[in-house]
Amino acid sequence: MVEEIECDVVVVGGGLAGLRAAIEAAKAGKGRLRVALVSKTHPMRSHSVSAEGGTAAVLYPDEGDSIESHVWDTVKGSDFLADQPVVERFAQMAPQEIIQLEHWGMPWARRSDGRIAQRLFGGQSYPRACYAEDRVGFFEMSTLYDTSLRFDEITIYDEWFMTSILRSDGRFAGIVALSLKTGELGVFRAKAGVLATGGAGRIYSFASFGHSSTPDGHAAALRTGLPLMDMEFVQFHPTGLVPSGILITEASRGEGGILRNARNERFMERYAPKAKDLAPRDIVSRAMVTEIREGRGLKTEEGEDYLLLDLTVIEPEVVKKRLTSIREICLKNAGIDPIEEPIPVRPVAHYFMGGVATDIDGATELAGLWAAGEVACNGLNGANRLGSNSTTECLVWGRITGGLAARFAMSHGAAEPPREEVVREEKRIFDKLLGPAPRVNPYDVKRELQKIMEESFHVFREQRGMEEGLRRIRKLREELELGVADKSRYYNTNLTNVLEIEAMLEVCEVIGVAALNRTESRGAHARVDYPQRDDANWLKHTLVYRAAEGLEISYRDVAITTYRPVERQY
């Protein structure tokens, strides 16, 4: 028997965007709405907790910064693929979210005059990354989680894994989710929903993401007929700790850290003469890979390539106070004290500019369903996101989508969930996956998929490699006969891992198709066979739909209001 859970608004995902959306939905409902927050982990285990360096907002226009400057930096950083009305709204609303968090108890770092402290991040004209030392995500999540507990209207269903999105007569009807505790399916029947399931980082093996960061939301949206937008743009953060991939925050360079090669050269002076180590992430990552390819990198005993992030140039007390977590990470995971010796780093899969296509309000093509945070793509980040904009994006569109979903729920009745879809999910999970013995090891499939993505869809790309990579992905999908060796119902992580791997395969094919199709270099999509940006043909967003015959591509024009594309120089 499938359990049916009645609610007015269901928010899927317990990270920054999900918690902010749930709080806003509860506030907008004024005690009249039941808000269900569904998360496959406890919210404080969401990947948002690991955000380190800062949250961008213009707080001090009296000191030279401005909303216009934040807009320009973001548009330029996006390699002019950002939708400018979206960026304008983002920059205008960002300061409100910083102040709102402070009112809810966020312990922002302070300047000597008592005002909120800000640090410089890559691609910024002014220091506008608000921070809480280097534990921004943890403190933001703690603040939002504590705030959510004040609302009796919010019920948190942690350890529930969404398996599908339900639609009825062209509108959102709820979700199907698997209870990890009982192993039973449940239907969350809702009038409105917000998808906030985060990124897809674990499709790469060297990634800064937690292991729960898989594209479950992306795949569920694709299966229900919604398009994914700009999935070819995958951001590689310049400084992943070797060999683990744990993120070394950009704040390390914002505080004065320097990237060096095997010759001890500060090589970023060659690639970005003005910004140097604080150029946007796509530029720094390409520079690092170029240094390695041209023989100026180093190798570990296991043969892994790396370069050096030198924090010894920073005052030790600054490292101890403002980069506390980074020092702890280096000591525990690499046996290195960054106060005394450089950190081994290389570009690491970190963020997806693409996601479920939405409009400026975060509304998807399915009436009653919104998306916010990294799973969504509203055109804010274009081809490359600036550091410290992502946590702000989660807060801004968490607020927007939560409020809109609540208002929709108050003016609409519940749609009847399609019973045939629920039955289909039951058969897929309990008969297909849990029934027969597995013919292939799903973890072998995952390792092969990650290997393909590392080889074919990394910092630099070219047609032959991408064609081969896409062929291998499709072969994996065609031969896929996944099953679950563990037949238990209670906390069956083998089952959830298999569901995640299915989603990874679907979304990797989308990335492959979108990347192969875009015959230019722009932002994080760098093709050696098409090295130039092509505004005449490619100043547009890629939309990928799932169709009966496979994947189909269409396009959306970039919304340009003020800033015409020019050459990016830093």
Side-chain angles (χ1 to χ4, degrees), residues 20 42 56 83 112 119 122 159 179 206 300 327 349 355 363 369 391 398 405 475 503 516 538-539 541:
R20 186 66 184 89
H42 186 278
D83 288 324
S112 58
R119 57 168 50 123
E159 298 185 329
S179 168
F206 192 69
T300 66
R327 187 176 183 226
L369 179 65
T391 47
K475 187 171 185 290
L516 189 59
W538 287 107
L539 195 60
H541 301 292

mmCIF file of all heavy atoms in Angstrom, residues 20 42 56 83 112 119 122 159 179 206 300 327 349 355 363 369 391 398 405 475 503 516 538-539 541:
data_model
loop_
_atom_site.group_PDB
_atom_site.id
_atom_site.type_symbol
_atom_site.label_atom_id
_atom_site.label_comp_id
_atom_site.label_asym_id
_atom_site.label_seq_id
_atom_site.Cartn_x
_atom_site.Cartn_y
_atom_site.Cartn_z
ATOM 1 N N ARG A 20 15.183 27.868 2.486
ATOM 2 C CA ARG A 20 14.702 29.254 2.296
ATOM 3 C C ARG A 20 13.317 29.250 1.658
ATOM 4 O O ARG A 20 12.450 30.070 2.022
ATOM 5 C CB ARG A 20 15.704 30.034 1.435
ATOM 6 C CG ARG A 20 15.372 31.531 1.311
ATOM 7 C CD ARG A 20 15.507 32.227 2.634
ATOM 8 N NE ARG A 20 15.107 33.641 2.564
ATOM 9 C CZ ARG A 20 13.867 34.082 2.771
ATOM 10 N NH1 ARG A 20 12.895 33.211 3.046
ATOM 11 N NH2 ARG A 20 13.591 35.363 2.718
ATOM 12 N N HIS A 42 19.299 14.389 6.078
ATOM 13 C CA HIS A 42 18.895 15.418 7.029
ATOM 14 C C HIS A 42 19.395 16.753 6.480
ATOM 15 O O HIS A 42 20.493 16.830 5.917
ATOM 16 C CB HIS A 42 19.511 15.140 8.407
ATOM 17 C CG HIS A 42 19.024 16.072 9.469
ATOM 18 N ND1 HIS A 42 19.555 17.336 9.646
ATOM 19 C CD2 HIS A 42 18.049 15.945 10.404
ATOM 20 C CE1 HIS A 42 18.937 17.937 10.643
ATOM 21 N NE2 HIS A 42 18.012 17.115 11.128
ATOM 22 N N ALA A 56 27.675 36.734 -1.975
ATOM 23 C CA ALA A 56 27.875 38.043 -2.601
ATOM 24 C C ALA A 56 26.659 38.950 -2.466
ATOM 25 O O ALA A 56 25.522 38.531 -2.686
ATOM 26 C CB ALA A 56 28.211 37.860 -4.081
ATOM 27 N N ASP A 83 21.203 36.098 -18.601
ATOM 28 C CA ASP A 83 20.040 36.930 -18.916
ATOM 29 C C ASP A 83 20.068 38.144 -17.997
ATOM 30 O O ASP A 83 19.933 38.020 -16.771
ATOM 31 C CB ASP A 83 18.746 36.140 -18.714
ATOM 32 C CG ASP A 83 18.551 35.086 -19.789
ATOM 33 O OD1 ASP A 83 18.921 35.341 -20.952
ATOM 34 O OD2 ASP A 83 18.033 34.000 -19.465
ATOM 35 N N SER A 112 36.126 46.207 11.859
ATOM 36 C CA SER A 112 36.446 46.902 13.115
ATOM 37 C C SER A 112 35.367 47.905 13.495
ATOM 38 O O SER A 112 35.199 48.229 14.679
ATOM 39 C CB SER A 112 37.802 47.607 12.996
ATOM 40 O OG SER A 112 37.786 48.535 11.917
ATOM 41 N N ARG A 119 34.948 40.113 1.660
ATOM 42 C CA ARG A 119 36.260 39.824 1.064
ATOM 43 C C ARG A 119 36.119 39.764 -0.455
ATOM 44 O O ARG A 119 35.027 39.620 -1.004
ATOM 45 C CB ARG A 119 36.827 38.518 1.609
ATOM 46 C CG ARG A 119 35.933 37.329 1.392
ATOM 47 C CD ARG A 119 36.584 35.971 1.651
ATOM 48 N NE ARG A 119 37.285 35.800 2.886
ATOM 49 C CZ ARG A 119 37.017 34.849 3.799
ATOM 50 N NH1 ARG A 119 35.991 34.003 3.594
ATOM 51 N NH2 ARG A 119 37.735 34.733 4.887
ATOM 52 N N GLY A 122 37.011 36.069 -7.045
ATOM 53 C CA GLY A 122 37.391 36.168 -8.449
ATOM 54 C C GLY A 122 36.351 36.861 -9.307
ATOM 55 O O GLY A 122 35.164 36.571 -9.212
ATOM 56 N N GLU A 159 15.369 11.872 4.904
ATOM 57 C CA GLU A 159 15.600 10.496 4.474
ATOM 58 C C GLU A 159 14.413 9.954 3.668
ATOM 59 O O GLU A 159 13.998 8.808 3.813
ATOM 60 C CB GLU A 159 15.959 9.602 5.662
ATOM 61 C CG GLU A 159 17.255 10.051 6.338
ATOM 62 C CD GLU A 159 17.724 9.144 7.448
ATOM 63 O OE1 GLU A 159 16.875 8.519 8.120
ATOM 64 O OE2 GLU A 159 18.950 9.052 7.641
ATOM 65 N N SER A 179 10.719 6.158 1.233
ATOM 66 C CA SER A 179 11.171 6.328 2.612
ATOM 67 C C SER A 179 12.361 5.404 2.855
ATOM 68 O O SER A 179 12.246 4.184 2.757
ATOM 69 C CB SER A 179 10.047 5.983 3.598
ATOM 70 O OG SER A 179 10.570 5.874 4.919
ATOM 71 N N PHE A 206 36.710 13.258 -9.553
ATOM 72 C CA PHE A 206 37.429 14.279 -8.797
ATOM 73 C C PHE A 206 36.498 15.472 -8.669
ATOM 74 O O PHE A 206 36.386 16.309 -9.572
ATOM 75 C CB PHE A 206 38.732 14.665 -9.507
ATOM 76 C CG PHE A 206 39.668 15.495 -8.647
ATOM 77 C CD1 PHE A 206 40.297 14.935 -7.545
ATOM 78 C CD2 PHE A 206 39.918 16.820 -8.953
ATOM 79 C CE1 PHE A 206 41.164 15.699 -6.753
ATOM 80 C CE2 PHE A 206 40.785 17.578 -8.177
ATOM 81 C CZ PHE A 206 41.404 17.009 -7.070
ATOM 82 N N THR A 300 52.220 13.559 -8.106
ATOM 83 C CA THR A 300 52.301 12.818 -6.853
ATOM 84 C C THR A 300 53.013 11.489 -7.113
ATOM 85 O O THR A 300 53.291 11.129 -8.271
ATOM 86 C CB THR A 300 50.897 12.524 -6.303
ATOM 87 O OG1 THR A 300 50.217 11.625 -7.198
ATOM 88 C CG2 THR A 300 50.087 13.794 -6.157
ATOM 89 N N ARG A 327 42.813 25.233 6.903
ATOM 90 C CA ARG A 327 44.007 24.715 7.591
ATOM 91 C C ARG A 327 43.719 23.334 8.182
ATOM 92 O O ARG A 327 44.527 22.407 8.070
ATOM 93 C CB ARG A 327 44.450 25.685 8.683
ATOM 94 C CG ARG A 327 45.787 25.281 9.319
ATOM 95 C CD ARG A 327 46.260 26.296 10.322
ATOM 96 N NE ARG A 327 47.565 25.921 10.847
ATOM 97 C CZ ARG A 327 47.896 25.949 12.138
ATOM 98 N NH1 ARG A 327 47.004 26.357 13.037
ATOM 99 N NH2 ARG A 327 49.091 25.583 12.530
ATOM 100 N N ALA A 349 35.693 19.375 -10.363
ATOM 101 C CA ALA A 349 34.288 19.595 -10.710
ATOM 102 C C ALA A 349 33.564 20.200 -9.514
ATOM 103 O O ALA A 349 33.619 19.662 -8.407
ATOM 104 C CB ALA A 349 33.635 18.282 -11.123
ATOM 105 N N GLY A 355 20.705 23.529 -15.628
ATOM 106 C CA GLY A 355 19.749 22.864 -14.753
ATOM 107 C C GLY A 355 18.372 22.855 -15.376
ATOM 108 O O GLY A 355 18.221 23.060 -16.588
ATOM 109 N N ALA A 363 9.873 29.703 -12.272
ATOM 110 C CA ALA A 363 8.781 28.829 -12.704
ATOM 111 C C ALA A 363 9.239 27.918 -13.829
ATOM 112 O O ALA A 363 9.875 28.369 -14.793
ATOM 113 C CB ALA A 363 7.582 29.654 -13.160
ATOM 114 N N LEU A 369 4.907 24.220 -10.517
ATOM 115 C CA LEU A 369 6.223 23.735 -10.093
ATOM 116 C C LEU A 369 7.284 24.790 -10.376
ATOM 117 O O LEU A 369 7.407 25.272 -11.506
ATOM 118 C CB LEU A 369 6.590 22.436 -10.810
ATOM 119 C CG LEU A 369 7.973 21.851 -10.457
ATOM 120 C CD1 LEU A 369 8.032 21.427 -8.989
ATOM 121 C CD2 LEU A 369 8.322 20.676 -11.368
ATOM 122 N N THR A 391 25.539 30.891 -3.356
ATOM 123 C CA THR A 391 24.771 30.868 -2.114
ATOM 124 C C THR A 391 23.737 31.992 -2.107
ATOM 125 O O THR A 391 22.620 31.823 -1.610
ATOM 126 C CB THR A 391 25.692 30.971 -0.889
ATOM 127 O OG1 THR A 391 26.645 32.024 -1.085
ATOM 128 C CG2 THR A 391 26.448 29.658 -0.673
ATOM 129 N N GLY A 398 15.215 30.935 -3.493
ATOM 130 C CA GLY A 398 14.465 30.215 -2.481
ATOM 131 C C GLY A 398 13.315 31.069 -1.986
ATOM 132 O O GLY A 398 12.164 30.623 -1.883
ATOM 133 N N ALA A 405 5.028 29.749 -4.841
ATOM 134 C CA ALA A 405 4.385 28.448 -4.676
ATOM 135 C C ALA A 405 3.261 28.536 -3.642
ATOM 136 O O ALA A 405 2.187 27.936 -3.811
ATOM 137 C CB ALA A 405 5.419 27.402 -4.261
ATOM 138 N N LYS A 475 26.247 3.522 -24.752
ATOM 139 C CA LYS A 475 26.456 2.073 -24.669
ATOM 140 C C LYS A 475 26.173 1.584 -23.242
ATOM 141 O O LYS A 475 25.541 0.546 -23.044
ATOM 142 C CB LYS A 475 27.887 1.720 -25.086
ATOM 143 C CG LYS A 475 28.169 0.224 -25.204
ATOM 144 C CD LYS A 475 29.541 -0.005 -25.837
ATOM 145 C CE LYS A 475 29.806 -1.482 -26.080
ATOM 146 N NZ LYS A 475 30.018 -2.239 -24.840
ATOM 147 N N ALA A 503 19.972 8.112 -12.688
ATOM 148 C CA ALA A 503 19.848 9.549 -12.945
ATOM 149 C C ALA A 503 21.141 10.117 -13.529
ATOM 150 O O ALA A 503 21.118 10.950 -14.448
ATOM 151 C CB ALA A 503 19.491 10.274 -11.647
ATOM 152 N N LEU A 516 28.570 18.683 -27.298
ATOM 153 C CA LEU A 516 28.970 18.369 -28.671
ATOM 154 C C LEU A 516 28.304 19.314 -29.659
ATOM 155 O O LEU A 516 28.889 19.695 -30.680
ATOM 156 C CB LEU A 516 28.605 16.918 -28.985
ATOM 157 C CG LEU A 516 29.116 16.319 -30.286
ATOM 158 C CD1 LEU A 516 30.643 16.368 -30.357
ATOM 159 C CD2 LEU A 516 28.642 14.876 -30.420
ATOM 160 N N TRP A 538 25.927 31.629 -31.471
ATOM 161 C CA TRP A 538 25.748 30.913 -30.217
ATOM 162 C C TRP A 538 25.431 31.791 -29.014
ATOM 163 O O TRP A 538 25.582 31.358 -27.871
ATOM 164 C CB TRP A 538 26.989 30.057 -29.918
ATOM 165 C CG TRP A 538 27.046 28.868 -30.823
ATOM 166 C CD1 TRP A 538 27.892 28.665 -31.870
ATOM 167 C CD2 TRP A 538 26.182 27.730 -30.771
ATOM 168 N NE1 TRP A 538 27.624 27.474 -32.472
ATOM 169 C CE2 TRP A 538 26.572 26.865 -31.822
ATOM 170 C CE3 TRP A 538 25.119 27.344 -29.941
ATOM 171 C CZ2 TRP A 538 25.945 25.657 -32.061
ATOM 172 C CZ3 TRP A 538 24.481 26.142 -30.189
ATOM 173 C CH2 TRP A 538 24.901 25.311 -31.231
ATOM 174 N N LEU A 539 24.946 33.000 -29.253
ATOM 175 C CA LEU A 539 24.488 33.824 -28.143
ATOM 176 C C LEU A 539 23.055 33.391 -27.793
ATOM 177 O O LEU A 539 22.089 34.119 -27.974
ATOM 178 C CB LEU A 539 24.552 35.307 -28.503
ATOM 179 C CG LEU A 539 24.454 36.301 -27.336
ATOM 180 C CD1 LEU A 539 25.583 36.091 -26.342
ATOM 181 C CD2 LEU A 539 24.442 37.727 -27.842
ATOM 182 N N HIS A 541 20.758 30.132 -25.298
ATOM 183 C CA HIS A 541 20.742 29.037 -24.340
ATOM 184 C C HIS A 541 20.341 27.735 -25.034
ATOM 185 O O HIS A 541 19.523 27.731 -25.948
ATOM 186 C CB HIS A 541 19.734 29.315 -23.224
ATOM 187 C CG HIS A 541 19.995 30.563 -22.448
ATOM 188 N ND1 HIS A 541 21.084 30.706 -21.625
ATOM 189 C CD2 HIS A 541 19.304 31.733 -22.379
ATOM 190 C CE1 HIS A 541 21.049 31.901 -21.058
ATOM 191 N NE2 HIS A 541 19.990 32.548 -21.496
#
